[in-house]
């Protein structure tokens, strides 16, 4: 979906296909047929943007076979879909029964991460619509925080510098400008937008910036305006933003609240949980079940958990979502005279990890839910003065 900003530029809205995990090219093609096109039809649009997730095997098949890439581009066109952004965070196995810590491997100190992201950039240059010259890729925020020392930090920085050089060369070759954004996430080396400023300014290249995920922003109790103002002051480019909402519990001391939270503790994904107190600052656990197990987290202030809940459907009381944080961030991202980013992506990959009674039981129900999320995002954009384009 495309929108005209009051300054005349185009803002792109997509939804991320990591909600339909597939490891192979055949699986990606099936996603387009079984999920993406039905969502487009529900929205009544001739064209729908998707934030494509290409796992290692799918990316390898495409980058080694130009005919396969042309075939994918043709299939996108045929189904009324377009790609201006990729989700390069998960490397492989995102559809496994247990993902948890595996999603952070390989990290930016490992050569595989550089090679995979380079491949994604080359593929995106070939997938961009004919009238679009700029693409974006979100990626791992350096590494998970454990076992990350100075030596690995040096390797990660060197890899990102090399990536920037490769992106420069790619634009010279193709005329397409691809940028990569580190996506701060709780528990990682770069957990917050503030954590991103030092490593990104050290790299000092405008092709390597930040991807602001509004669920992660909220989980870490970052104020959107303060965070985005700091990025602007530091001249860190916002390459893209993922529109998502975290799980919020206002009174975690109450048994009914803890019981409601326990329904969201599940074995597939990590649900990092945070709270903040005036005396002790931010308190953290790596997962929701750990937070619920005892007195690990203070329960005198609200808790937030890294669980991407559907944007249009807040959890039932006594829980809610951090949709207000998303709205505040979006106002700052695209509500000013000039947008901070032109690439927005709804990323609710946890539909099948929701408590059983909230999960879509059929493809049709999932398509309905994704379409409803995109409708909400569309309405927020038009409320900010953007005009939806055909």
């Amino acid at each position: 979906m495309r929108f005209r900003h009051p300054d005349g530029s185009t803002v792109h809205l997509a939804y991320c296909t990591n909600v339909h995990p597939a490891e192979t090219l055949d699986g990606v093609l099936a996603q387009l047929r079984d999920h993406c096109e039905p969502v487009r039809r529900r929205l009544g649009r001739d064209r729908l943007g998707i934030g494509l997730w290409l796992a290692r095997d799918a990316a390898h098949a495409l980058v080694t076979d130009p005919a396969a890439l042309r075939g994918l581009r043709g299939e996108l066109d045929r189904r009324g879909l377009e790609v201006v952004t990729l989700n390069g965070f998960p490397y492989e196995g995102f559809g496994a029964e247990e993902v948890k810590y595996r999603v952070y491997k390989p990290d930016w100190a490992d050569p595989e991460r550089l090679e995979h992201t380079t491949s994604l950039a080359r593929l995106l240059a070939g997938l961009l619509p004919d009238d679009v010259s700029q693409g974006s890729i979100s990626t791992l925020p350096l590494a998970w925080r454990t076992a990350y020392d100075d030596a690995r930090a040096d390797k990660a920085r060197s890899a990102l510098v090399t990536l920037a050089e490769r992106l420069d060369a790619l634009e010279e070759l193709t005329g397409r400008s691809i940028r990569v954004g580190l996506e701060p996430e709780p528990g990682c080396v770069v957990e917050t937008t503030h954590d991103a400023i030092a490593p990104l300014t050290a790299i000092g290249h405008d092709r390597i910036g930040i991807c602001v995920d509004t669920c992660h922003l909220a989980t870490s109790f970052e104020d959107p305006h303060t965070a985005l103002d700091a990025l602007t002051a530091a001249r860190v480019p916002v390459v893209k933003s993922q529109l998502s909402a975290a799980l919020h519990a206002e009174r975690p001391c109450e048994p009914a609240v803890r019981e409601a939270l326990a329904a969201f503790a599940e074995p597939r994904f990590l649900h990092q949980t945070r709270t903040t107190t005036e005396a002790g600052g931010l308190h953290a656990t790596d997962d929701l079940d750990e937070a619920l197990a005892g007195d690990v987290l203070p329960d005198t202030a609200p808790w937030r958990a890294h669980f991407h809940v559907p944007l249009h459907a807040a959890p039932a009381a006594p829980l809610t979502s951090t949709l207000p944080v998303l709205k505040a961030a979006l106002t700052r991202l695209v509500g000013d005279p000039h947008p901070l980013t032109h690439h927005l992506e709804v990323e609710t990959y946890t539909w099948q990890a929701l408590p059983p009674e909230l999960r879509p039981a059929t493809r049709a129900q999932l398509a309905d839910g994704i379409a409803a999320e995109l409708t909400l995002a569309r309405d927020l954009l038009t409320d900010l003065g953007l005009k939806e384009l055909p």
Side-chain angles (χ1 to χ4, degrees):
M1 301 168 75
R2 299 187 185 191
F3 297 80
R4 181 73 68 211
H5 190 273
D7 74 348
S9 63
T10 300
V11 172
H12 295 265
L13 173 66
Y15 90 88
C16 185
T17 64
N18 63 356
V19 65
H20 320 299
E23 301 291 317
T24 66
L25 178 55
D26 285 344
V28 171
L29 295 172
Q31 289 175 350
L32 306 184
R33 179 193 67 228
D34 296 338
H35 300 290
C36 302
E37 186 177 8
V39 170
R40 178 183 64 77
R41 293 186 181 280
R42 279 164 171 75
L43 291 166
R45 306 299 301 164
D46 293 333
R47 174 174 54 190
L48 175 66
I50 57 172
L52 201 58
W53 174 58
L54 296 172
R56 179 196 63 175
D57 289 349
H60 180 75
L62 289 165
V63 83
T64 56
D65 185 354
L69 181 59
R70 289 194 298 271
L72 175 58
R73 173 68 184 271
E75 192 71 359
L76 289 166
D77 292 341
R78 188 168 74 85
R79 299 193 181 279
L81 306 169
E82 66 178 16
V83 175
V84 304
T85 189
L86 300 179
N87 187 331
F89 195 135
Y91 180 70
E92 62 183 347
F94 202 62
E97 291 185 3
E98 182 176 332
V99 178
K100 298 290 185 179
Y101 295 95
R102 291 173 52 189
V103 76
Y104 307 107
K105 292 291 186 178
D107 64 35
W108 273 102
D110 298 320
E112 294 88 352
R113 177 62 66 170
L114 172 61
E115 297 311 314
H116 177 62
T117 309
T118 300
S119 293
L120 293 180
R122 292 171 178 162
L123 295 173
L124 182 55
L127 292 174
L128 288 176
D130 291 340
D131 61 345
V132 175
S133 61
Q134 296 184 341
S136 62
I137 302 171
S138 48
T139 190
L140 179 77
L142 299 183
W144 186 252
R145 69 184 186 279
T146 56
Y148 191 77
D149 54 19
D150 289 344
R152 293 188 68 78
D154 288 342
K155 290 179 180 179
R157 181 183 178 280
S158 177
L160 287 166
V161 169
T162 299
L163 176 66
E165 294 169 349
R166 292 179 179 180
L167 296 177
D168 284 341
L170 183 63
E171 183 173 16
E172 290 184 11
L173 181 65
T174 66
R176 303 296 181 87
S177 174
I178 308 298
R179 298 192 299 170
V180 173
L182 303 184
E183 181 187 332
E185 177 165 316
C188 290
V189 172
V190 174
E191 171 158 338
T192 65
T193 58
H194 176 76
D195 295 337
I197 291 175
L200 289 174
T201 52
I203 293 167
H205 200 298
D206 63 4
R207 293 198 195 275
I208 311 297
I210 193 169
C211 168
V212 176
D213 184 300
T214 58
C215 169
H216 303 172
L217 190 80
T219 301
S220 295
F221 286 87
E222 289 194 83
D223 174 74
H225 292 284
T226 301
L228 292 168
D229 285 348
L231 293 173
T232 301
R235 301 194 179 194
V236 172
V238 182
V239 170
K240 65 184 279 190
S241 179
Q242 288 172 325
L243 305 182
S244 52
L247 190 62
H248 180 94
E250 185 67 21
R251 297 181 59 82
C253 59
E254 295 180 357
V257 174
R258 287 185 173 245
E259 182 180 356
L261 282 171
F264 287 83
E266 52 83 37
R268 186 170 172 187
F269 300 112
L270 274 187
H271 300 296
Q272 302 93 313
T273 306
R274 303 287 185 266
T275 188
T276 184
T277 62
E278 292 184 8
L282 200 66
H283 299 260
T285 63
D286 281 357
D287 215 343
L288 180 55
D289 53 4
E290 180 185 350
L292 293 167
D295 299 325
V296 182
L297 288 185
D299 61 5
T300 55
W303 287 6
R304 289 177 179 173
H306 173 219
F307 196 118
H308 291 224
V309 295
L311 301 186
H312 67 291
L319 303 178
T320 187
S321 81
T322 61
L323 185 62
V325 176
L326 183 159
K327 292 179 178 179
L330 193 61
T331 298
R332 182 70 178 87
L333 286 164
V334 300
D336 287 345
H338 301 286
L340 293 181
T341 185
H342 291 87
H343 291 179
L344 305 172
E345 177 184 62
V346 171
E347 195 211 10
T348 307
Y349 59 83
T350 45
W351 280 95
Q352 298 302 336
L354 290 166
E357 67 275 11
L358 302 179
R359 294 176 196 167
T362 64
R363 288 178 184 169
Q365 289 179 0
L366 178 58
D368 289 342
I370 294 169
E373 289 193 292
L374 285 167
T375 298
L376 182 146
R378 179 194 65 195
D379 292 346
L380 292 177
L381 291 172
T382 55
D383 287 347
L384 289 170
L386 282 73
K387 180 182 178 181
E388 187 176 6
L389 298 174

